[in-house]
Amino acid sequence: MQLVAGLNLAWVAASFGVIAWVQPNGLGIAFVAVQALAVGAIAALQFHALGETRVRI
């Protein structure tokens, strides 16, 4: 599960890298940024859940 959360963080970094490299228009920037932030939130929840799991075991 930690691998999946790490890959999600890599996706976020790559998304912002694409914005810097490709330089899309405003709508493209907004679309990529919003999806990257959503994936980042999912990764944060995954890491939080992993921390909770380790404490309970």
Side-chain angles (χ1 to χ4, degrees):
M1 186 68 170
Q2 200 169 19
L3 175 65
V4 174
L7 288 172
N8 281 337
L9 288 179
W11 181 273
V12 172
S15 295
F16 286 112
V18 165
I19 289 174
W21 183 50
V22 176
Q23 298 176 349
N25 63 17
L27 185 59
I29 291 171
F31 179 80
V32 174
V34 168
Q35 68 86 26
L37 292 173
V39 172
I42 290 169
L45 290 172
Q46 289 171 329
F47 278 118
H48 179 72
L50 286 171
E52 292 291 323
T53 302
R54 289 185 188 148
V55 171
R56 291 180 187 165
I57 291 179

